[in-house]
Amino acid sequence: MATTATLTLEGKPYELPVMTGTEGEKAIDVRQLRKESGYVCYDQGYGNTGSCESQITYLDGDNGILRHRGYPIEQLAEQSEFVETAYLIIYGDLPNPKERRDFGDLMRQHAAIDTQMLRIFEGFPREAPPMGMLTSIVSSMAAYYPSLATNNFESDLANFDLTAAMAISKIRTIVAGVYRYRHGMPFNYPKDIPFCDNFLHLMFSEPYKDYVTIPEVSRALNLILLLHADHEQNCSTSTVRMVGSSGANLFTSLAAGICALSGPLHGGANTAVMQMLQTIHDEGDDGTRFIESAKSGDKNHRLMGFGHAVYRNYDPRARIIGHACDVVLNKLGIVDPLLDIAKKLEEAALKDEYFLSRKLYPNVDFYSGIIMRALGIPTELFTTMFAIGRSPGWIANWKEVASQPKGRIYRPRQLYTGPVKRDYVPMARRH
Ligand code: CMC
């Protein structure tokens, strides 16, 4: 097996070390190349750049494989639950009963939002976008808990167990708070109950009328969050690592990740899928007309929930969610015309040369919105639900960065294509 690669530039050979991951993935180490040759590697969007070594998640997009700490997503989806998978992702191993209990207890103890922090909500207009509110409120945690967010890796890591549990638990509580605030409803105080049940209580309990959890709803919510828990070096996770690499504390780095998640090509896609399905439904289309327009190449008419920056195969999470969709809607006795449209779109796209030749398959967002809608979660909150689910992955990645104090700050290079040097022209001589 090759241990070096030779790159010849202007007739001069450069020996570059070859690195191999535990699953046999290969990389060429170009860190010294610029110093030795003056050349940088050009890779717009970092599509072929290994920006770090990581032990958290293995993703093989060509073969549709996703594993967290070695465990296949299919097994976790079938046998684990969100909080346990969060522990696995953050700490590297499945928890034993005591570790699982302690982790859950810590989350429950820190589930509530500080009374003073609740006032931040009141500064927002009622129609403020939920992701905008979530980013600001999570970012404010660094200011509310300064002794836990010192921007010093050593002391921030000393408090890591606490800040990690606080972050996951409070992000969940903040999302429910955002929903209640936007609808003018009083906040609910968290209870001493399991994570997902607590979310449903925070969202839907009314004064003198507690939300009664239905096991199927609780299980489906657990599944949705678990399937979002981590996904290798995606846009928001890389953002968390990038911000963290500057020495920034966990809360600030998480807030940056939430900002990155908000775009329609990333976390916003689940909302975009529902809007697309609703439009198709309202226009009386069965999906046929929409599929045709999605093939135009126009970015504004894409089949949302299809395609992925890494998967060139079925996203394994989409397969699990697609199946769960049928089960959940059946159990809850819900008939959703949008599910029929989604199925027709999938069937048509998977037979269509345009989608087949480009290896465009359903991704995790294609069906997740339909399940969330069935659980009573409004579309406006979908991307914030993704944020709750992804928080363990962000936290684990921040920890990897913070635990390697000798790792350098994320600072890519560029290929400058602007004007060459020119002299300043005084205003009087400009036309
Ligand atoms: N509908 C129609 N055409 C598409 C789509 C789509 N959803 N996705 C890609 N294409 C076409 C694209 O126009 C291009 O065609 P051509 O080769 O003729 O120029 C080709 O497929 C390759 O596309 P690309 O833009 O190079 O693909 P990418 O890897 O850069 O983009 C993507 C990945 C996810 C941004 C894109 O597939 C997309 O916009 N999908 C819809 C949005 C979506 O569902 N996003 C959620 C991603 S999963 C959640 C997450 O992990 O964040």
Side-chain angles (χ1 to χ4, degrees), residues 114-139:
D114 197 282
T115 323
Q116 246 187 318
M117 228 167 112
L118 283 174
R119 298 211 190 120
I120 300 182
F121 285 76
E122 287 158 24
F124 289 103
R126 294 275 177 205
E127 65 280 11
M131 281 298 276
M133 288 183 74
L134 182 64
T135 335
S136 316
I137 300 167
V138 171
S139 144

Side-chain angles (χ1 to χ4, degrees), residues 236-389:
S236 56
T237 301
S238 300
T239 301
V240 168
R241 286 190 86 110
M242 178 166 273
V243 173
S245 78
S246 75
N249 66 81
L250 177 64
F251 300 139
T252 302
S253 305
L254 290 176
I258 299 172
C259 288
L261 187 71
S262 62
L265 298 186
H266 189 14
N270 50 20
T271 310
V273 169
M274 292 310 281
Q275 284 159 352
M276 172 188 80
L277 295 174
Q278 193 62 54
T279 309
I280 293 173
H281 180 256
D282 294 348
E283 288 175 354
D285 180 13
D286 65 352
T288 320
R289 284 202 306 269
F290 191 88
I291 284 271
E292 283 313 307
S293 69
K295 298 195 280 184
S296 65
D298 178 351
K299 280 199 174 186
N300 297 319
H301 286 101
R302 284 191 164 175
L303 180 55
M304 299 310 285
F306 256 70
H308 198 276
V310 180
Y311 291 115
R312 295 292 173 252
N313 203 318
Y314 221 99
D315 176 343
R317 302 167 302 168
R319 223 186 271 286
I320 298 166
I321 289 201
H323 175 66
C325 227
D326 283 330
V327 174
V328 172
L329 268 64
N330 256 335
K331 282 222 169 110
L332 299 179
I334 294 173
V335 179
D336 189 339
L338 299 195
L339 177 60
D340 293 335
I341 294 175
K343 283 186 169 169
K344 277 209 183 99
L345 284 173
E346 178 184 355
E347 204 184 303
L350 293 181
K351 278 192 219 136
D352 193 299
E353 182 50 27
Y354 174 92
F355 294 92
L356 288 175
S357 63
R358 288 169 179 75
K359 300 191 173 164
L360 300 170
Y361 296 92
N363 60 49
V364 68
D365 290 321
F366 195 62
Y367 286 110
S368 64
I370 297 173
I371 298 199
M372 286 198 272
R373 185 163 122 126
L375 306 187
I377 296 164
T379 310
E380 71 203 38
L381 282 198
F382 284 3
T383 311
T384 60
M385 298 303 295
F386 192 154
I388 304 174

Side-chain angles (χ1 to χ4, degrees), residues 147-199:
S147 62
L148 304 176
T150 61
N151 289 349
N152 172 302
F153 283 153
E154 206 179 324
S155 63
D156 286 351
L157 280 172
N159 291 307
F160 178 76
D161 291 349
L162 176 59
T163 50
M166 274 172 87
I168 301 179
S169 194
K170 286 193 198 296
I171 289 175
R172 179 266 329 261
T173 307
I174 294 167
V175 169
V178 165
Y179 168 68
R180 297 203 57 96
Y181 175 75
R182 294 180 86 241
H183 292 272
M185 297 184 283
F187 295 120
N188 287 319
Y189 199 81
K191 286 199 209 170
D192 201 10
I193 53 177
F195 187 90
C196 288
D197 295 349
N198 224 344
F199 175 73

Side-chain angles (χ1 to χ4, degrees), residues 5-9 11-16 28 30 33 37 39 41:
T6 310
L7 177 69
T8 305
L9 294 166
K12 188 170 169 206
Y14 294 90
E15 292 288 309
L16 303 168
I28 298 170
V30 294
L33 183 63
S37 70
Y39 279 71
C41 294

Side-chain angles (χ1 to χ4, degrees), residues 27 36 57 60 91 136 139 157 201 210 229 238 274 291 293 401 409 428:
E36 291 171 7
T57 289
D60 173 350
Y91 292 104
S136 316
S139 144
L157 280 172
H201 150 71
D210 269 3
S238 300
M274 292 310 281
I291 284 271
S293 69
V401 170
I409 188 168

